[in-house]
Amino acid sequence: MERKIAGGVACVMAAAMMLAGCGGPTGTGSNGASGGSASPVAKPLDLSKLETSVASTPVDNQRQDMMSFTNGTNVTIVAVSLNYRQKSDVTDDQRQAAFADLRQAVTMIEDSDYEELKTEPLKCTSNLIVKPGATSENGECTIGGWKAIGDFTPLMEPDTMSVAYLKGTNTIGKATYDFVNKKTTLDKAESKANQWGDDKLTKTLPKPESTIIGGSVSDTSVGYSVYGTTHDQFAAYVEQCKQKGFTADGEGDNYASMKGSNGSDLSVHYFPDDEKMTINLHTAD
């Protein structure tokens, strides 16, 4: 079982990447959302209308907590981070019962680390684009950095929720909901939705047909994440790369590695659960 990064807003996590302003998702996902149309903020944003639900769900022959939500707001949601806290009256016996499945599944946890783990809160994330009125399902939940195997909801109560949303044609806004005070707070910070570069290395690549693209660029490499992408769009992009002069070096159902005419290395991966395509290109040097 893999350890997952669960704490903080970091660009290594898809939803957190959006909320931190490091780029993020777009495209048309299974929820029918299209990254090509932004939702104008015509009314004050009220995140209490974003109805979340966490339940223990069978995943890969194990039950684990997963998040779903219905977007009752007036904007298109592109990332959600739902943060819980343990209830003040939780007993050790309740913790022992709730963590039993996780303890059995992850035997490499040291006893001392396990005792600390039992005090951790639950955190659930989604990075799917969800238009007003639509529903997102199967957002991953973690606890202390591990997949939330079992059911931790009896121990928890919602604390805060961070949300990234489309604000205009090329802008991502952020907001936080406080469950205790039932208050939505808008972040003054905004980020550019489409971060596709104009550098020499990026120009050797075909540009994905997406409105929101997160990326990083250096002198020797570029990396991009494109969200809301279907498998057909991934496959079409791989063919476009070949038409641009890249030669296949290895291919599978959800990945392709290619070589550029100048010796550069290109890898394109598709992640169906996140509806995400990643593009990484490195120079030969």
Side-chain angles (χ1 to χ4, degrees):
M1 174 183 170
E2 295 183 358
R3 184 171 176 86
K4 297 286 185 178
I5 298 174
V9 176
C11 293
V12 292
M13 290 188 65
M17 180 171 63
M18 287 294 300
L19 297 168
C22 307
T26 190
T28 302
S30 60
N31 51 37
S34 173
S37 59
S39 296
V41 184
K43 301 177 182 178
L45 180 59
D46 181 4
L47 291 182
S48 68
K49 295 182 179 180
L50 199 158
E51 302 175 3
T52 60
S53 175
V54 175
S56 184
T57 305
V59 180
D60 297 331
N61 298 318
Q62 290 178 315
R63 282 195 169 272
Q64 64 185 68
D65 283 335
M66 303 292 283
M67 176 184 68
S68 62
F69 69 88
T70 298
N71 182 10
T73 74
N74 59 321
V75 297
T76 295
I77 302 297
V78 296
V80 173
S81 177
L82 177 60
N83 306 296
Y84 283 81
R85 61 183 179 183
Q86 290 201 13
K87 297 176 182 177
S88 59
D89 59 352
V90 171
T91 67
D92 288 339
D93 287 344
Q94 288 174 315
R95 289 191 182 96
Q96 192 73 21
F99 278 84
D101 290 340
L102 178 58
R103 184 68 174 110
Q104 183 178 7
V106 191
T107 56
M108 72 282 291
I109 302 178
E110 299 290 339
D111 288 341
S112 58
D113 293 334
Y114 177 62
E115 291 304 314
E116 182 178 351
L117 178 63
K118 289 194 295 184
T119 66
E120 293 284 344
L122 186 69
K123 180 177 181 178
C124 304
T125 58
S126 169
N127 59 348
L128 299 179
I129 298 175
V130 184
K131 296 176 72 174
T135 296
S136 171
E137 298 181 346
N138 296 328
E140 185 175 73
C141 296
T142 58
I143 189 161
W146 299 94
K147 289 183 179 180
I149 296 176
D151 184 10
F152 301 93
T153 56
L155 309 182
M156 307 291 170
E157 58 188 4
D159 186 17
T160 61
M161 177 171 59
S162 299
V163 170
Y165 61 97
L166 289 181
K167 183 180 181 181
T169 57
N170 194 29
T171 304
I172 296 175
K174 294 97 180 175
T176 301
Y177 185 70
D178 181 350
F179 285 94
V180 176
N181 296 307
K182 303 184 185 305
K183 180 181 179 182
T184 299
T185 302
L186 300 182
D187 194 328
K188 293 181 179 179
E190 297 176 344
S191 60
K192 187 178 178 181
N194 191 329
Q195 297 181 3
W196 189 259
D198 192 37
D199 58 284
K200 182 178 180 180
L201 196 55
T202 298
K203 286 181 178 179
T204 66
L205 294 166
K207 184 177 180 179
E209 296 181 1
S210 300
T211 305
I212 309 173
I213 303 173
S216 62
V217 176
S218 73
D219 292 338
T220 59
S221 66
V222 295
Y224 294 100
S225 293
V226 184
Y227 287 78
T229 305
T230 66
H231 190 274
D232 286 346
Q233 289 171 325
F234 155 75
Y237 186 80
V238 171
E239 292 305 312
Q240 292 170 18
C241 290
K242 294 176 182 178
Q243 293 171 11
K244 288 276 284 188
F246 290 92
T247 303
D249 190 40
E251 291 186 67
D253 189 45
N254 291 324
Y255 80 92
S257 59
M258 290 170 272
K259 287 283 187 182
S261 58
N262 58 358
S264 60
D265 293 301
L266 172 63
S267 64
V268 184
H269 286 77
Y270 181 66
F271 301 86
D273 290 343
D274 293 327
E275 299 179 0
K276 176 179 69 173
M277 178 174 67
T278 61
I279 305 163
N280 290 281
L281 178 63
H282 302 267
T283 62
D285 297 333

